[in-house]
Amino acid sequence: MVVSWFLGLGSLVSWNSMLTIGDYYYNLFPSYHPARVLTLVYQPFALGTMLILAYNEAKIDTRKRNLMGYIIFFFSTLGLLVLDLGSPGKGRIGNYIGICVFVAAFGVADAHVQGGMVGDLSFMRPEFVQSFFAGMTASGALTSGLRILTKAAFDKSNNGLRKGVMLFLAISTFFQFLCIFLYAFVFGQLPIVKYYRTKAASEGSITVSADLAAAGIHIEETARIDIAKHERLSNKQLLYQNLDYGLDLYLIYVLTLSIFPGFLFENTGSHQLGSWYPVVLIAMYNMLDFIGQYTPLINSIKLESRKGLLIASLSRFLLIPAFYFTAKYGDQGWMILLVSFLGLTNGHLTVCVLTSIPEGYKAPEQNALGNLLVLFLLGGVFSGVALDWLWIIGNGKF
């Protein structure tokens, strides 16, 4: 569970770093809508890559897929740091295009890691999936905490904003390197992981063969069973049986990303917190999202009803008018409260959906279902990012 948590952390720490240093990019590129544009660049690459990988998941080597994802994350985050070091710290269009290229690489890496890890953990234990997603949201809380520290540390120094961002990116690069090490040399060696991967191979899964070989176990040594038992449900059948879970994830993330982060950076006005205001809003969202990942562990508030999950996911759309009127008439305290509720419900419902999937599927089916659910999640993120632009139509900034 600890290793799953760290691998989840690494799957989003690069992207959350980009969101958290949004104040720096708005300082460099005030007319280019960084929070909205970079998110819009990121998501098509994540969704497009995920579509290809989900369609071919049964034939893709999970080890190569996950390691490739973490390596791309590492070099892209390092690339952002080198790009900033090599520039005079001014908002030139060439630098902006370079940032967009690295962000697109984040999207490709995200599809490799998130789909690969969720598919891999889905045939193990629900606690591992919960821990992985808790690590993902912890990356947001961690990056927000580090950003507040680096912003405070360099706030009064000459060129302090840039120095804080460079230190911040260096720390994020280190976390990516740590994840490469953990996946390559630690995760696959854990006895419980070996057990579930061996079991998956005996049920016909070929995606785990490289991971088993790296752990010193060869497919030929695993239990042989009748080939007829290897027959699995098609992706279409799995989707039909679990369409409501996919729809839940789509609705959760289309709502969240239509507000976070673009609306929080550009549409919440000026308040007493000044330049700290968007940083505090992002931090509150990330911290409550992290807490929300653990609230389903309390059985009395965990939602497991399929109908209940769908109703809860739909009811969050009432937050759209709430945010609109709060931005227009409310004070910063009300906005911080709303952002906190947005994060809490996002984390809580995500874990409730992913840990309520029916049991009884074979390992290859669980792997495929995990990939399909991540596809719906990324589809919701992409739709939310596109809809986020509607907030600025007609206000002179479009």
Side-chain angles (χ1 to χ4, degrees), residues 352-392:
C352 284
V353 171
L354 288 167
T355 56
S356 298
I357 307 300
E359 297 181 0
Y361 292 118
K362 296 175 185 175
E365 293 166 345
Q366 289 170 320
N367 189 6
L369 183 55
N371 276 270
L372 289 171
L373 291 176
V374 170
L375 183 61
F376 272 91
L377 188 155
L378 291 178
V381 171
F382 178 68
S383 301
V385 166
L387 291 170
D388 183 46
W389 284 85
L390 296 176
W391 290 106
I392 63 169

Side-chain angles (χ1 to χ4, degrees), residues 210-274:
D211 278 308
L212 285 173
I217 301 170
H218 297 282
I219 298 299
E220 292 76 22
E221 298 170 16
T222 61
R224 297 179 179 276
I225 56 174
D226 194 328
I227 193 67
K229 294 181 182 178
H230 287 175
E231 292 181 4
R232 48 155 282 190
L233 296 173
S234 67
N235 286 358
K236 188 175 180 181
Q237 290 170 312
L238 287 168
L239 191 58
Y240 179 76
Q241 292 177 10
N242 299 278
L243 186 59
D244 56 324
Y245 289 119
L247 187 58
D248 291 338
L249 288 172
Y250 179 86
L251 292 171
I252 291 166
Y253 282 86
V254 73
L255 184 277
T256 298
L257 270 292
S258 66
I259 296 168
F260 175 88
F263 177 85
L264 302 185
F265 271 109
E266 294 189 19
N267 297 87
T268 49
S270 300
H271 294 275
Q272 293 171 336
L273 286 170

Side-chain angles (χ1 to χ4, degrees), residues 9 22 35 45-46 60 74 86 103 108 119 126 147 163 170 235 274 280 305 308 326 363 380:
L9 179 87
F45 283 91
I60 295 173
F74 172 76
V103 167
V108 174
R147 182 70 192 108
K163 289 176 184 174
N235 286 358
V280 170
S305 160
T326 303

Side-chain angles (χ1 to χ4, degrees), residues 23-24 27 147 151 154 157 159-166:
D23 57 329
Y24 174 61
N27 187 52
R147 182 70 192 108
K151 184 175 172 67
F154 295 102
S157 66
N159 208 11
L161 186 61
R162 186 177 180 224
K163 289 176 184 174
V165 165
M166 288 167 69

Side-chain angles (χ1 to χ4, degrees), residues 298-317:
I298 305 169
N299 288 329
S300 58
I301 59 172
K302 183 183 179 183
L303 264 177
E304 293 183 293
S305 160
R306 298 178 83 140
K307 189 179 291 185
L309 285 167
L310 189 58
I311 291 169
S313 302
L314 285 167
S315 65
R316 291 177 79 238
F317 280 82

Side-chain angles (χ1 to χ4, degrees), residues 92-281:
R92 294 176 176 173
I93 187 65
N95 291 355
Y96 194 63
I97 292 170
I99 291 166
C100 289
V101 170
F102 287 124
V103 167
F106 285 165
V108 174
D110 183 23
H112 277 78
V113 170
Q114 198 173 154
M117 284 303 302
V118 172
D120 212 16
L121 297 174
S122 292
F123 60 74
M124 297 183 192
R125 295 178 67 89
E127 296 95 319
F128 295 172
V129 177
Q130 184 271 333
S131 193
F132 180 79
F133 274 88
M136 285 173 62
T137 53
S139 71
L142 179 68
T143 52
S144 291
L146 286 172
R147 182 70 192 108
I148 289 171
L149 286 175
T150 54
K151 184 175 172 67
F154 295 102
D155 202 28
K156 303 298 181 185
S157 66
N158 182 39
N159 208 11
L161 186 61
R162 186 177 180 224
K163 289 176 184 174
V165 165
M166 288 167 69
L167 175 62
F168 185 74
L169 287 173
I171 294 168
S172 299
T173 305
F174 167 74
F175 277 120
Q176 294 300 344
F177 180 78
L178 179 65
C179 285
I180 295 171
F181 175 80
L182 283 174
Y183 189 85
F185 301 109
V186 178
F187 185 66
Q189 301 295 331
L190 299 172
I192 193 166
V193 174
K194 288 182 182 178
Y195 166 77
Y196 279 112
R197 282 178 170 165
T198 305
K199 183 172 178 284
S202 73
E203 292 176 355
S205 176
I206 61 172
T207 61
V208 297
S209 54
D211 278 308
L212 285 173
I217 301 170
H218 297 282
I219 298 299
E220 292 76 22
E221 298 170 16
T222 61
R224 297 179 179 276
I225 56 174
D226 194 328
I227 193 67
K229 294 181 182 178
H230 287 175
E231 292 181 4
R232 48 155 282 190
L233 296 173
S234 67
N235 286 358
K236 188 175 180 181
Q237 290 170 312
L238 287 168
L239 191 58
Y240 179 76
Q241 292 177 10
N242 299 278
L243 186 59
D244 56 324
Y245 289 119
L247 187 58
D248 291 338
L249 288 172
Y250 179 86
L251 292 171
I252 291 166
Y253 282 86
V254 73
L255 184 277
T256 298
L257 270 292
S258 66
I259 296 168
F260 175 88
F263 177 85
L264 302 185
F265 271 109
E266 294 189 19
N267 297 87
T268 49
S270 300
H271 294 275
Q272 293 171 336
L273 286 170
S275 66
W276 282 89
Y277 189 48
V279 176
V280 170
L281 289 178

